[in-house]
Each structure stands twice: as C-alpha cells, then as structure tokens.
Amino acid sequence: MLQLPVRKALFWDMDLKSMDEQTHKTYIIQQVLNYGTLDEFVAILHYYGADSIKQSSKEVGYFDPKTFSFVTTFFNLDKNEMKCYTKKRLNQPHWI
C-alpha cells in the first residue's frame, strides 16, 4: 500500500492497495513529476533520494515538455539519456 505523502489522485489508474513504493518507483516518480506539486516532489526527493530519482527519470516513458525541461535541468541530464526523448515525439525532426 502506498505510504508516501502524495495525493492518491495522482495514481487514478492504479489499484492503490497493490501499489508498492519500490516495485512501482518509476511510475510513482513519473506521476509526481508530471502532475504533482512542489511539496510532493520534495517528498519523493527525500524518500527516494536525488540519485535514485535521476536514474528512474531516465527510464520514464513520458514527460510533458515542461517537466522534461525541469528534470533535465534539475538533475543535469543529457536529453539523449532520456527514454522519453529517444523513443517519443520530443525527438521528431521537422517534416522532410
């Protein structure tokens, strides 16, 4: 069961009773970074640690453009390290 001090509404598509902070770490980080508040970001930063969030952020499948910019700047990441950049539309060239 999720025990982190974040809004349960961030996980509208998951069964909270079966959710585990370690098993679903990347998903929790994705949801809090995309939809959470600054206080919720600080809560996961204290719980998981900056290095763990940095590594998990590289594996996230989707960040909106504003969140992507924040994450790459805050954690000093190269955009090419990010799965959401290399696999999604953020990396699409202009029309040919």
Side-chain angles (χ1 to χ4, degrees), residues 1-95:
M1 175 113 185
L2 186 66
Q3 298 297 319
L4 284 168
V6 296
R7 289 172 291 143
K8 307 307 182 222
L10 295 176
F11 313 105
W12 66 87
D13 55 345
M14 290 286 290
D15 178 18
L16 294 177
K17 293 176 185 168
S18 65
M19 204 167 177
D20 178 63
E21 284 92 352
Q22 296 307 314
T23 306
H24 300 100
K25 176 171 65 171
T26 301
Y27 174 73
I28 292 168
I29 289 169
Q30 174 184 334
Q31 293 299 97
V32 170
L33 289 174
N34 273 323
Y35 307 111
T37 64
L38 182 59
D39 289 336
E40 291 166 332
F41 171 67
V42 170
I44 66 165
L45 194 59
H46 285 244
Y47 185 81
Y48 291 118
D51 290 334
S52 182
I53 293 175
K54 181 178 179 177
Q55 292 305 314
S56 291
S57 294
K58 293 178 184 180
E59 298 302 316
V60 168
Y62 172 78
F63 281 133
D64 64 77
K66 189 187 308 184
T67 303
F68 178 80
S69 180
F70 170 77
V71 169
T72 55
T73 302
F74 187 87
F75 293 109
N76 195 27
L77 292 167
D78 179 18
K79 63 185 177 185
N80 293 309
E81 295 179 81
M82 306 289 286
K83 181 179 178 181
C84 66
Y85 181 78
T86 59
K87 301 285 183 193
K88 295 285 268 183
R89 289 181 232 169
L90 289 174
N91 193 23
Q92 286 187 352
H94 291 285
W95 56 93

